[in-house]
Amino acid sequence: MMRQPSFQGGGGRSGGVRFGHGFPMSRWVLRLMIANFAVFLLMAVRLVPAGAIEWLGFAVPGFLTRPWTVVTYMFVHGGFMHLFMNMLALFFFGPPLERKWGSRFFLRFYLVTGLGAAAFSVLLYSLTGPTLMVGASGAIFGLLVAFALNWPDAKIFLYFVFPVPAKWFVAGLGALTLLSTVQGSTDGVAHWAHLGGLVTGFVYLRYGERIGRFAHRALYKERSAPKRPAPPPPPPSPRRRRRVDGDSLDEVDRILDKIRADGMDSLSARERAFLDEVSRQYQQTKGTEKKTRTH
């Protein structure tokens, strides 16, 4: 979330033609204004059929068959004054924000708040009904709340005469928008879209990073790998693994009887070597069993 710096016109750069609150015209503000005016002119001179507004405007019932309308509705306006007021607000409040955030974040914020305005049409469908929504007002209201959060004490001239701090101007505008939405105003203005832009802009700036981290953890949660059992000790070599079978036991008994009868001196070298080998195998077997039990 951006803290609220003191308002300074121009963004720290001198020179150039300055607009709005003393900031030079920014890249995406200019492009968005050109795009909106171009669409209006194309429809005004009938290069684009007037009925195209039904295919470009957003309406909840037709969303599934015309999903592109969640974006295109922001560039279609119902008349020149509708277009002029939206572009005037973009002209004044867009450049300071784009200069502060950078073009990429500014454009993303503009589109996200526009999408939020369309989302409110879905959420409040039982209240609004199957209304065709056009215009950039949702995104513009998002810019207003962003401007007030960044420069709360900057003066906005109400009716171009009365200076009002931005924080109070936007707070009053939000209250009127909420009231008009709840009352179901019939003045032909999509107040719920304005409210959606305000709310989406506020939530995006205040809690966007937190929501993004939560979504990332939910979608890409790292699962701990299951613990694998320790591998068994390698088996002894076949030479040492040789088991004492029945024949070997018989041979051991014979040699032991010979020792009892004639003593150790009666054993041949081969018999002594055989006893040593059997004893070594027995000790190795006991050692392996002990390790296995205490592992």
Side-chain angles (χ1 to χ4, degrees):
M1 168 56 204
M2 300 170 301
R3 296 304 169 194
Q4 300 170 0
S6 59
F7 180 78
Q8 294 180 350
R13 180 183 292 184
S14 61
V17 179
R18 298 182 181 277
F19 302 91
H21 288 277
F23 282 76
M25 177 61 72
S26 56
R27 179 191 308 172
W28 274 104
V29 168
L30 179 60
R31 291 176 178 176
L32 289 170
M33 291 178 66
I34 291 174
N36 279 274
F37 277 111
V39 172
F40 179 80
L41 290 175
L42 289 173
M43 296 183 70
V45 299
R46 298 290 191 269
L47 290 179
V48 174
I53 193 171
E54 301 289 337
W55 286 87
L56 299 176
F58 178 80
V60 176
F63 167 66
L64 294 178
T65 57
R66 298 189 293 273
W68 59 85
T69 56
V70 295
V71 175
T72 57
Y73 89 92
M74 291 183 254
F75 298 91
V76 182
H77 290 80
F80 178 76
M81 286 306 299
H82 185 204
L83 170 68
F84 177 76
M85 295 305 295
N86 280 339
M87 294 302 100
L88 184 65
L90 178 61
F91 173 82
F92 277 106
F93 300 105
L97 292 168
E98 185 174 355
R99 295 279 300 190
K100 177 178 179 58
W101 292 336
S103 296
R104 180 176 298 179
F105 185 88
F106 172 81
L107 179 61
R108 182 165 68 243
F109 180 83
Y110 184 91
L111 295 175
V112 165
T113 49
L115 293 174
F120 263 59
S121 292
V122 179
L123 295 175
L124 302 177
Y125 181 71
S126 60
L127 179 66
T128 64
T131 305
L132 184 68
M133 188 172 70
V134 295
S137 300
I140 297 301
F141 272 64
L143 296 182
L144 288 175
V145 74
F147 186 88
L149 288 174
N150 282 278
W151 299 286
D153 297 318
K155 296 298 185 292
I156 296 177
F157 286 87
L158 185 63
Y159 300 113
F160 301 98
V161 176
F162 306 105
V164 180
K167 57 186 176 184
W168 299 120
F169 175 82
V170 173
L173 195 63
L176 289 175
T177 301
L178 177 60
L179 182 63
S180 299
T181 301
V182 173
Q183 289 181 343
S185 176
T186 58
D187 57 1
V189 178
H191 295 285
W192 64 89
H194 300 172
L195 182 64
L198 283 171
V199 173
T200 303
F202 180 83
V203 172
Y204 188 80
L205 293 178
R206 286 286 188 183
Y207 307 106
E209 292 183 3
R210 192 178 306 175
I211 294 172
R213 289 195 298 268
F214 176 80
H216 185 272
R217 287 196 298 268
L219 294 174
Y220 303 101
K221 185 176 181 180
E222 295 182 359
R223 295 182 174 86
S224 57
K227 294 183 179 180
R228 297 180 179 179
S237 62
R239 185 175 180 180
R240 295 182 177 181
R241 181 74 177 172
R242 187 173 58 190
R243 299 184 59 182
V244 181
D245 54 17
D247 293 339
S248 298
L249 290 176
D250 292 341
E251 180 67 11
V252 170
D253 291 339
R254 186 190 66 77
I255 295 174
L256 291 177
D257 290 339
K258 185 176 180 180
I259 293 174
R260 283 193 293 269
D262 301 322
M264 286 290 296
D265 294 337
S266 63
L267 298 181
S268 65
R270 185 190 65 78
E271 292 172 337
R272 290 175 183 270
F274 178 77
L275 284 179
D276 290 341
E277 177 67 18
V278 171
S279 176
R280 183 166 55 252
Q281 291 182 20
Y282 176 74
Q283 293 298 329
Q284 288 178 353
T285 303
K286 287 189 64 177
T288 301
E289 291 176 352
K290 183 177 181 181
K291 290 180 182 179
T292 303
R293 286 195 300 270
T294 60
H295 183 65

